[in-house]
Structure formats: C-alpha cells, structure tokens
Amino acid sequence: MADDHHEDDRPDYDPANVELPSKEPPLRETAPQSDFTMGQVTQGAVIALVGLALTFGIAFALV
C-alpha cells in the first residue's frame, strides 16, 4: 500500500519560523453536523432495525 500523505502539499516544519499556511484547508463536513432529510433518517432507522433483528434473531434461534 502506498503512502498517501500528500507530502508535496505540506511545507517542512520549522519551529523558528512559525507562519500560517498561505492557503486555507479544504472545507470538510462531518456527519453529526450535517442536515438530514426525513427519508435518510427513515432509511437509517430501517437498516438499524433489520440489523438488530438479524443479530438478535440469529442469537435466539441458536439458543
């Protein structure tokens, strides 16, 4: 597996010359801060319920 750290984009760290980078970091979006539609919430809930039913259903069937 190749290293994918994008070292070309990073300048070498120099503790004697502390400067802010010339460009802003890319915008990121994390899931807890995202807006969800009711369809996405419903789909997630259905998938979670199916997963729980399979997990506990198989466990109870084997006991």
Side-chain angles (χ1 to χ4, degrees):
M1 183 195 281
D3 289 335
D4 193 19
H5 295 283
H6 304 289
E7 293 179 10
D8 303 342
D9 298 338
R10 282 190 152 177
D12 292 332
Y13 178 71
D14 181 13
N17 185 16
V18 180
E19 293 182 11
L20 294 175
S22 59
K23 62 181 183 176
E24 293 183 17
L27 296 176
R28 294 187 338 170
E29 186 174 318
T30 56
Q33 298 168 347
S34 302
D35 292 330
F36 297 107
T37 64
M38 277 309 290
Q40 291 171 325
V41 171
T42 303
Q43 181 181 10
V46 168
I47 291 171
L49 289 174
V50 168
L52 287 170
L54 285 173
T55 301
F56 289 104
I58 291 173
F60 287 133
L62 295 176
V63 173

